[in-house]
Amino acid sequence: MKEIAVNPEFKAIIPPLTEQEYKQLEQNILTNGCLNPIITWRDTIIDGHNRYAICHKHDIDFDIKKIKYIIESEAAAKIWIVKNQFGRRNINAYQRSVLALQLEEYYQAKAKTKQQAGGVEKVPQTSAKAIETRQELAKEAGVSHDTITKVKKINQQATAEQKEALTEGNSSINEIYKNITGQEKKIMRHESIITDCLDNKKHAVLYCDPPWQYEHVVSHSRAIEKQYPTMQLEDIKNYPIHKITANNCILFLWTTSPKLAESIEVINQWNFNYRTCMVWVKDKIGMGYYVRQKHELLLIAKIGEPPMPEPEDRIASVVIAPRLEHSKKPQVFYEIIEKMYPDLPKAEVFAREEREGWTSYGNEIK
């Protein structure tokens, strides 16, 4: 069996065959022999790595064809390998674009080698004559200039899973590119919101549990005022929430069924737009004139365009948790909000106690 050198850098240039393609090539060689020669440069394979591996495994003879014309350097050899790969039918647009971007590097390395060896002036990247321009690369690869540009960003920012999906043809270049640029814009906007909050001493997440004043109570001993000071609706509506509200802010507002209409008034007065709500289902039943209450509502509203939580951080709208001392809300809701918005500056309004990582305000904002 003839032994030929394998340069790992040369081999890495070549887009790998799929498992099915490799098995089919192996079966063809086992049936018909190695019909195509292994091409070498300086006794190193530059085409036929898979054929060589299969022949070596099964002790099958093969022919060697040495490259006839001069390839003066490894960079030039890599250019030959890439151009040779462009002739393959089984590589997709993503693989062609990756090869084109590699070709750009090899042209630059080749020019640098010539410059060092003979003082040849390197053609500027901006020159129309430079062969390594994206237009020339796209033409050689058989793809568009726009595709080359997108794939360059994909190679810089895509995950290994996304690149694998492109290689296997399970995702499109446009799909992955939009995903990456969308995520990039989302991060930039997220950082902009945080900067705005820090610069203006405001908050992008507000958690409010207003001390609603009820008109009727079942008994005087159970009046809310016996538990904590309450506020009239107009006082809550006129609360200067705007002083701590960021331009892009999400509001979580606690209310009860009897106070639902008034809560919407408060949301509107505070210039927020109602979006949806969560329900806290308690383990113990309470009082009520028409039905006995066993739940409270956490209304969610927004002002501006605060970011939406990541899909994995969006929980079910119904939370079952034990009822605590009068009007105190379960700890789990803090944790839910922190998971939804881990980095945004948060404040609790009408707070009874402080929480680490939050700013707490009582009945008044100075």
Side-chain angles (χ1 to χ4, degrees):
M1 175 62 64
K2 292 167 278 192
E3 296 287 343
I4 313 174
V6 175
N7 184 324
E9 291 187 12
F10 289 175
K11 186 177 180 181
I13 296 170
I14 301 169
L17 298 177
T18 64
E19 183 179 354
Q20 184 59 38
E21 288 171 338
Y22 190 88
K23 286 182 178 179
Q24 185 61 57
L25 177 62
E26 186 173 32
Q27 186 58 50
N28 291 344
I29 291 175
L30 288 171
T31 302
N32 304 312
C34 188
L35 301 180
N36 297 311
I38 310 298
I39 300 176
T40 65
W41 169 74
R42 294 181 181 175
D43 298 321
T44 302
I45 299 176
I46 56 174
D47 181 60
H49 290 86
N50 292 313
R51 297 194 298 277
Y52 177 71
I54 292 168
C55 289
H56 199 274
K57 175 183 176 182
H58 297 285
D59 198 23
I60 296 173
D61 198 17
F62 56 86
D63 293 328
I64 298 174
K65 181 179 179 181
K66 296 185 178 182
I67 204 75
K68 291 183 177 179
Y69 56 87
I70 296 174
I71 297 178
E72 67 275 14
S73 65
E74 282 198 6
K78 290 175 179 177
I79 291 170
W80 186 95
I81 293 170
V82 169
K83 289 187 174 183
N84 187 56
Q85 290 301 306
F86 286 151
R88 286 173 54 182
R89 294 182 180 180
N90 64 332
I91 58 174
N92 59 35
Y94 171 70
Q95 292 170 310
R96 288 180 175 277
S97 301
V98 171
L99 285 168
L101 291 169
Q102 289 176 310
L103 192 59
E104 181 178 33
E105 295 177 13
Y106 303 150
Y107 276 133
Q108 290 171 353
K110 180 180 176 182
K112 186 177 180 180
T113 299
K114 282 187 174 181
Q115 183 182 19
Q116 291 172 343
V120 178
E121 184 178 357
K122 185 178 177 181
V123 180
Q125 181 69 28
T126 55
S127 170
K129 298 179 181 179
I131 193 168
E132 57 265 49
T133 61
R134 295 282 161 76
Q135 289 84 357
E136 289 290 340
L137 292 169
K139 185 178 179 181
E140 289 199 61
V143 296
S144 70
H145 170 262
D146 183 55
T147 298
I148 295 284
T149 302
K150 288 178 179 178
V151 170
K152 184 165 187 177
K153 181 176 279 290
I154 287 171
N155 278 357
Q156 292 170 340
Q157 299 183 25
T159 64
E161 290 76 15
Q162 288 173 322
K163 292 177 183 178
E164 183 179 355
L166 284 167
T167 299
E168 295 178 355
N170 296 326
S171 290
S172 71
I173 291 171
N174 283 337
E175 179 184 357
I176 300 298
Y177 180 78
K178 286 179 181 178
N179 182 282
I180 289 172
T181 53
Q183 189 65 25
E184 198 174 52
K185 290 176 182 176
K186 185 188 294 185
I187 291 170
M188 290 176 64
R189 177 163 178 74
H190 194 82
E191 291 175 347
S192 174
I193 290 172
I194 293 174
T195 300
D196 176 59
C197 289
L198 296 176
D199 289 347
N200 298 292
K201 297 182 180 179
K202 298 197 175 183
H203 306 276
V205 177
L206 297 178
Y207 182 54
C208 302
D209 187 10
W212 302 105
Q213 189 175 92
Y214 288 80
E215 297 175 1
H216 307 288
V217 293
V218 176
S219 67
H220 183 71
S221 64
R222 294 180 63 88
I224 291 177
E225 285 78 7
K226 293 284 186 178
Q227 312 297 327
Y228 56 84
T230 59
M231 294 174 65
Q232 294 183 356
L233 174 60
E234 289 305 311
D235 291 331
I236 295 173
K237 288 168 65 174
N238 293 324
Y239 187 82
I241 198 80
H242 64 277
K243 290 186 177 181
I244 61 168
T245 301
N247 293 324
N248 300 283
C249 181
I250 192 84
L251 169 69
F252 295 86
L253 181 73
W254 279 110
T255 192
T256 59
S257 299
K259 290 295 179 180
L260 181 56
E262 293 182 12
S263 301
I264 297 299
E265 285 187 46
V266 170
I267 286 173
N268 292 335
Q269 180 70 26
W270 288 357
N271 291 320
F272 281 84
N273 295 307
Y274 172 77
R275 305 307 298 169
T276 187
C277 74
M278 295 175 64
V279 181
W280 167 30
V281 177
K282 306 174 185 181
D283 60 337
K284 297 176 183 177
I285 198 166
M287 305 301 292
Y289 285 99
Y290 298 94
V291 293
R292 295 182 65 184
Q293 298 295 309
K294 199 181 176 182
H295 74 280
E296 291 189 34
L297 302 171
L298 183 59
L299 309 185
I300 302 175
K302 72 171 187 174
I303 191 168
E305 293 298 331
M308 288 184 287
E310 294 297 328
E312 62 272 17
D313 296 330
R314 300 172 193 171
I315 70 157
S317 61
V318 176
V319 176
I320 301 172
R323 190 176 75 177
L324 306 174
E325 62 187 79
H326 198 87
S327 190
K328 187 173 182 180
K329 303 306 185 286
Q331 191 80 4
V332 66
F333 285 97
Y334 290 104
E335 297 167 0
I336 289 169
I337 294 170
E338 287 168 348
K339 184 179 180 184
M340 293 171 71
Y341 297 101
D343 301 323
L344 295 185
K346 291 174 276 291
E348 182 178 7
V349 182
F350 309 115
R352 298 183 181 184
E353 56 189 20
E354 293 186 349
R355 181 173 179 82
E356 185 178 354
W358 294 57
T359 301
S360 300
Y361 298 95
N363 287 351
E364 294 183 2
I365 296 175
K366 302 298 182 183

